[in-house]
Amino acid sequence: MLKTLVIACIFGCSCWCDLQAQSRVARIYGEVTTVMNKKVCGYITWGKSLYWTDIFTAGKIENPYMRYREVMGNVRFSDGQRDMPVEHEFSCRFGNIRSIRAIRADRIELGVRGGNLIELDRGRSAVIGNTLSVERNDGKTVNLMWDHISEIIFMAAPDSIAEPKDQPITGIVETPYGIYKGIVQWDMDENSLEALVDGRLDGSVVSVAFKNIRSIESLGNSSRVTLNSGRELNMWGENDVNATNRGIAVNMPSIGQVIVRWAEFKAFKSLPIEQVKLLSYDDFAAPVRLTGVVETRDGRVLRGVLAYDLDEAMDFELLDGRNGNLSYRIPFKYIREIEPKNYKYTWIKLAGGSELVLGGECDVTSANDGVLVFRAGEEVVYVRWRDVKRISLWTKESDKLND
């Protein structure tokens, strides 16, 4: 298992203490129209998703890039195992979504900020088909069943309304390989200060709200929970505090998401909300196409619009990869260079200059389905993953699109 000690510290080192953040700007907000043409406006909770940086996932119905199959020749996909690419997954942060319209029990039409519409099915989605709740401006919460929903329009919460009942868990998560700072989801479940950490103490089950916790330190198969009062509790016996924990997710504003498995978790330290950068809905710009340069191992230099892994083509879509017990989900807009190193690992350079070595997912291994390059005024070129030497994103041409 490959470890990269140098890369992770960059995620938690920026100081945002001068930002007077409020949970209102971070919360998913919108207007839900029901089949009775009733409009319900307020803070939206959908499954475990509460914040703009939470990740929305659905299944892609078809691969539009297979219309270029002739360009690809006799190539076999998924590391030579298939004649056709695997079905891909759509993932983005909630802040990138303009609207969602229910068109079937298991299918939606998703509007991306900027105007594009994408038809998606449930796939592995944890929210499509499920009830969502809306905390209205009068403080009352309305639960809406999926088959009663016509459309959801997302928008920034107005300045005039009160703060939401749910306040995010904000802090830093320490691992042997670095520190991660942002909004925390504990055990892939608890995501607000009112949520409880459960464990056993002196033979009894106890529960402590995150709002009362200063820090949590791993003791292997138990945890030392330090309260704001300074009292220490050695808790054990429940998955919140032992090795059966499902992972600690940290959503970072300008990086994406990292999920830390218990084997690599050292400690969590709570931070006041004003010390963590919280993205508002207005911080998510309209997406642009992936544009860059693909250098091949036989010396070709191909410049144009890209379809990465015959899948991701927009800057808000996510690159997935793992390094040991750390999983990363990074929007392409934060990536500058991608360099396959062998069948198992790929080197990634981020916009701030930091570096990662990732594997474990088809985006960064030999299971990658290759890259299509749409060159201006020229033929489309397909490059197999094994032939990619380096991909450089955000060339001068694509940077102009962001201006």
Side-chain angles (χ1 to χ4, degrees):
M1 180 172 63
L2 184 68
K3 300 294 183 183
T4 50
L5 175 61
V6 68
I7 52 88
C9 65
I10 51 93
F11 296 135
C13 297
S14 298
C15 180
W16 300 94
C17 297
D18 58 337
L19 182 72
Q20 299 301 311
Q22 295 178 324
S23 61
R24 173 179 50 79
V25 304
R27 280 288 269 117
I28 300 173
Y29 187 90
E31 179 184 83
V32 182
T33 302
T34 72
V35 295
M36 297 296 293
N37 213 28
K38 178 181 179 182
K39 298 184 184 299
V40 184
C41 195
Y43 298 110
I44 294 174
T45 299
W46 203 357
K48 298 298 178 182
S49 300
L50 282 78
Y51 310 108
W52 293 122
T53 50
D54 286 336
I55 293 175
F56 174 87
T57 300
K60 291 186 175 180
I61 296 173
E62 59 182 18
N63 192 326
Y65 300 109
M66 290 314 295
R67 72 184 66 176
Y68 302 100
R69 186 68 175 90
E70 291 184 2
V71 175
M72 303 174 197
N74 295 322
V75 65
R76 288 175 62 83
F77 302 101
S78 301
D79 199 16
Q81 302 301 310
R82 299 168 60 99
D83 291 323
M84 297 290 288
V86 297
E87 293 183 359
H88 287 285
E89 186 178 79
F90 174 87
S91 296
C92 72
R93 296 183 292 184
F94 270 88
N96 296 118
I97 303 173
R98 174 177 53 85
S99 64
I100 291 176
R101 188 168 67 90
I103 57 177
R104 271 184 15 191
D106 61 350
R107 188 165 292 190
I108 65 168
E109 185 180 74
L110 182 143
V112 176
R113 299 190 68 172
N116 290 339
L117 295 174
I118 307 171
E119 189 170 332
L120 302 166
D121 65 22
R122 178 178 293 169
R124 294 190 297 171
S125 174
V127 295
I128 296 175
N130 294 331
T131 299
L132 63 77
S133 64
V134 181
E135 181 187 333
R136 300 188 316 194
N137 298 347
D138 60 7
K140 296 181 180 179
T141 298
V142 177
N143 295 317
L144 298 171
M145 297 175 59
W146 177 251
D147 58 2
H148 292 173
I149 295 171
S150 175
E151 187 176 26
I152 307 167
I153 303 294
F154 297 94
M155 64 190 74
D159 295 337
S160 58
I161 69 169
E163 294 290 305
K165 296 175 183 176
D166 291 305
Q167 304 289 315
I169 302 168
T170 50
I172 60 174
V173 173
E174 297 181 13
T175 76
Y177 312 103
I179 296 173
Y180 303 85
K181 178 180 179 182
I183 295 178
V184 174
Q185 184 177 41
W186 190 263
D187 190 31
M188 302 304 293
D189 184 20
E190 292 85 7
N191 55 7
S192 77
L193 289 179
E194 296 298 324
L196 302 176
V197 172
D198 301 317
R200 294 184 178 273
L201 182 68
D202 298 329
S204 301
V205 177
V206 298
S207 299
V208 184
F210 268 95
K211 64 182 179 182
N212 298 320
I213 294 174
R214 178 188 300 171
S215 64
I216 301 173
E217 179 184 357
S218 172
L219 301 177
N221 207 27
S222 62
S223 296
R224 179 180 295 115
V225 179
T226 302
L227 306 183
N228 292 331
S229 65
R231 182 186 176 191
E232 295 182 349
L233 308 176
N234 288 340
M235 299 174 64
W236 56 278
E238 301 290 339
N239 63 338
D240 281 341
V241 292
N242 67 18
T244 62
N245 186 296
R246 290 165 290 186
I248 299 103
V250 187
N251 285 321
M252 298 163 285
S254 299
I255 298 297
Q257 183 186 80
V258 62
I259 300 174
V260 179
R261 305 301 174 186
W262 191 260
E264 309 293 359
F265 171 70
K266 290 179 63 177
F268 160 75
K269 295 182 180 178
S270 177
L271 289 176
I273 193 171
E274 63 268 16
Q275 293 187 24
V276 176
K277 168 67 174 175
L278 301 180
L279 293 186
S280 70
Y281 189 60
D282 293 336
D283 289 323
F284 291 84
V288 297
R289 290 295 304 267
L290 289 182
T291 306
V293 177
V294 178
E295 300 174 51
T296 68
R297 297 193 178 277
D298 62 2
R300 290 178 295 165
V301 178
L302 306 169
R303 183 186 300 270
V305 174
L306 310 180
Y308 183 89
D309 190 25
L310 298 184
D311 179 22
E312 294 91 0
M314 305 296 292
D315 69 339
F316 68 89
E317 295 188 85
L318 307 181
L319 180 141
D320 296 297
R322 299 198 301 267
N323 187 288
N325 287 307
L326 303 179
S327 299
Y328 294 85
R329 310 200 74 185
I330 307 172
F332 275 87
K333 69 181 297 180
Y334 301 135
I335 298 173
R336 292 298 176 265
E337 294 183 39
I338 300 170
E339 190 173 312
K341 289 302 181 183
N342 61 15
Y343 67 98
K344 193 174 183 179
Y345 291 110
T346 295
W347 174 85
I348 307 290
K349 184 175 182 180
L350 302 181
S354 55
E355 302 173 6
L356 291 165
V357 175
L358 300 178
E361 301 287 349
C362 63
D363 280 343
V364 289
T365 67
S366 59
N368 187 299
D369 286 328
V371 183
L372 279 173
V373 185
F374 298 86
R375 301 178 296 167
E378 301 185 59
E379 292 182 353
V380 177
V381 177
Y382 171 73
V383 183
R384 296 182 305 174
W385 184 249
R386 69 176 68 179
D387 297 328
V388 173
K389 179 180 179 181
R390 181 183 299 108
I391 300 172
S392 301
L393 299 176
W394 305 117
T395 60
K396 290 182 179 179
E397 287 81 1
S398 59
D399 280 338
K400 288 178 182 178
L401 295 176
N402 292 319
D403 292 338

